[in-house]
Amino acid sequence: MIDEAVAAFRQVFGGAPAVCGVGPGRVELLGNHTDYNGGCVLTAAIDRRVVVAGRCVTGYRSRVHSVYLGQTAEFQAQSPAHDPAFPWADYVQGVAAVLSESGLVVPAFEAVITSDLPTASGLSSSAALEAATAQLIAGLTEFEPDRLELARLLQKAENEFVGVRCGILDQFSSIFGRADQVIYLDCGSLQHELLPLGEAGRAGPAIVLCDAQAPRSLAAGQYNQRRAECEQAASLLAVALGRPVERLCDVRLPEFEALAAALPDPVDRRARHVIGENDRVDRARQSLRTGRFGEVGKLLVESHLSSRVNFENSTDGLDLLQDLAVRQPGCLGSRLCGGGWGGNTVNLVAPQAVDEFAAAIVAGYRSVTGNTPPIHICRAADGAQTVRL
Ligand code: GLA
């Protein structure tokens, strides 16, 4: 990936880049829409990445080239402005702008972006691009960012500049990922714990992603609408409980069960999904601590059902992929991952069963839809890095 970025840089700008920023995508293993509700998630960075290779230039204007799109955008970190012709460049200038606002003197730079991470498929290519951009700027300025502070700044770039009210899950995962480990993250306190996906001498389940290929865009409004419904649920539960409920996940599952009837539909189902997910993450964390992957898989299956029925963020394509998956030998569990309304399912599959699993999903999906779903066999990977060239 880095060689490819360097070659592209030579072609587009001439000469060599000085630094590469590398940002991995992420897979949300469990904990759907819990992050902005102050709950917990199980997540991992994956071995599919965005690379941004660049060098400083004189003046104020930065130029950034997307190899995939064959487009070059220009911006100024100190006075960023949306350019509707290049929406992807918002992620780059949003990061440059928040770093600049935070007091860093962000130089003008020219850079190319390459990637082997599928875009618009629920694997956080946007957070990966943000993290890679931040690592590039860190390298160009010799600045060693505090990683938690950086995750917050990247989330701010996406919330305020790109305009998606996402939680911190994606940015945190891209920065804090660790090879062969799952991250348990408490999005309220931002405390995290690394849990092994496998043990020494015993390979853990493979992470297999199956892409339903429905075009999805978080900015399209469904995501923000669900977020508003969750806020509404929290206010109604506060009234029913007679105490403040700042975030939906401040309410535990048994408390919710006792009060669910006080909420109108569909707000009750949205709350049931989020509070239920939070509970499932707690249970899966205990199971992961002792390597009981089969139990984790069952929780994935419960999560998908709840997405479909309660949160209504699944699609026919995702339901079909999930249904095919759970019938395959060696599949421990399957669910949609990320925001929803398209993108990938995440599947935990016994390592020896992966090839057969992938072949069966492709054949089954093709026979119903006529389309071949891309399958990505992934590993949990290290988080974002700066590479000096
Ligand atoms: C998207 C958002 C995340 C999170 C997930 C759903 O990936 O960017 O912040 O809310 O959806 O869990």
Side-chain angles (χ1 to χ4, degrees):
M1 287 293 302
I2 290 182
D3 291 348
E4 197 184 312
V6 171
F9 187 95
R10 285 187 186 284
Q11 224 182 353
V12 176
F13 296 112
V19 174
C20 265
V22 181
R26 67 96 188 91
V27 58
E28 170 200 281
L29 207 57
L30 195 61
N32 192 238
H33 289 259
T34 49
D35 62 346
Y36 57 82
N37 287 301
C40 301
V41 285
L42 287 174
T43 175
I46 54 171
D47 53 350
R48 302 290 193 281
R49 303 172 176 96
V50 173
V51 172
V52 186
R55 70 179 170 212
C56 294
V57 292
T58 52
Y60 294 100
R61 293 199 71 74
S62 292
R63 289 201 302 153
V64 49
H65 178 84
S66 159
V67 171
Y68 176 62
L69 296 167
Q71 295 178 338
T72 305
E74 280 196 24
F75 68 90
Q76 215 166 304
Q78 294 70 22
S79 54
H82 298 281
D83 183 341
F86 307 115
W88 55 271
D90 280 358
Y91 299 100
V92 179
Q93 48 170 339
V95 170
V98 291
L99 287 174
S100 169
E101 268 169 38
S102 77
L104 184 71
V105 179
V106 177
F109 56 86
E110 51 195 12
V112 296
I113 304 168
T114 60
S115 172
D116 64 355
L117 177 66
T119 55
S121 46
L123 303 177
S124 287
S125 54
S126 45
L129 175 54
E130 289 158 4
T133 302
Q135 295 294 151
L136 168 76
I137 295 174
L140 293 175
T141 54
E142 310 275 335
F143 153 69
E144 280 284 338
D146 171 81
R147 294 177 85 71
L148 185 54
E149 189 48 32
L150 186 59
R152 285 207 183 96
L153 283 174
L154 300 187
Q155 183 196 10
K156 184 172 180 225
E158 183 132 357
N159 289 170
E160 293 178 7
F161 192 75
V162 180
V164 177
R165 295 183 65 209
C166 64
I168 200 163
L169 163 66
D170 306 342
Q171 292 77 12
F172 192 98
S173 312
S174 188
I175 288 177
F176 281 87
R178 191 77 70 78
D180 297 322
Q181 311 269 322
V182 171
I183 305 167
Y184 164 88
L185 169 65
D186 179 334
C187 302
S189 65
L190 294 181
Q191 298 288 323
H192 77 286
E193 175 186 346
L194 294 171
L195 297 158
L197 196 58
E199 298 160 31
R202 184 165 80 99
I207 300 171
V208 183
L209 303 168
C210 303
D211 193 342
Q213 282 194 305
R216 60 184 284 287
S217 154
L218 286 181
Q222 313 240 49
Y223 184 92
N224 290 349
Q225 186 199 333
R226 285 295 180 279
R227 196 167 167 153
E229 288 166 346
C230 290
E231 282 164 9
Q232 194 190 343
S235 326
L236 292 171
L237 284 169
V239 174
L241 283 163
R243 66 167 162 86
V245 175
E246 215 178 297
R247 294 159 311 192
L248 196 45
C249 291
D250 294 345
V251 179
R252 312 304 297 181
L253 191 58
E255 251 180 343
F256 170 75
E257 294 291 6
L259 293 170
L263 302 186
D265 192 64
V267 174
D268 58 342
R269 286 182 290 127
R270 310 301 188 236
R272 180 177 297 283
H273 178 67
V274 170
I275 296 170
E277 281 292 284
N278 205 31
D279 187 70
R280 280 186 279 278
V281 170
D282 270 346
R283 287 190 275 153
R285 178 197 199 185
Q286 302 304 335
S287 305
L288 275 176
R289 279 180 173 158
T290 47
R292 285 172 289 144
F293 301 119
E295 290 176 11
V296 179
K298 287 192 182 125
L299 293 164
L300 263 64
V301 175
E302 279 182 29
S303 166
H304 187 83
L305 179 66
S306 176
S307 266
R308 183 159 67 73
V309 173
N310 295 322
F311 215 66
E312 299 182 280
N313 61 336
S314 191
T315 61
D316 290 348
L318 287 166
D319 289 344
L320 175 59
L321 286 173
Q322 198 265 355
D323 186 57
L324 288 166
V326 294
R327 293 163 194 274
Q328 303 312 316
C331 176
L332 306 179
S334 173
R335 59 175 286 266
L336 70 81
C337 88
W341 300 288
N344 278 266
T345 57
V346 54
N347 304 273
L348 287 181
V349 183
Q352 68 280 7
V354 165
D355 292 342
E356 251 175 83
F357 173 86
I361 297 291
V362 167
Y365 194 81
R366 207 190 269 155
S367 76
V368 177
T369 65
N371 299 322
T372 303
I375 310 275
H376 309 284
I377 298 163
C378 298
R379 294 189 66 156
D382 283 332
Q385 293 169 40
T386 298
V387 179
R388 282 166 217 287
L389 300 166

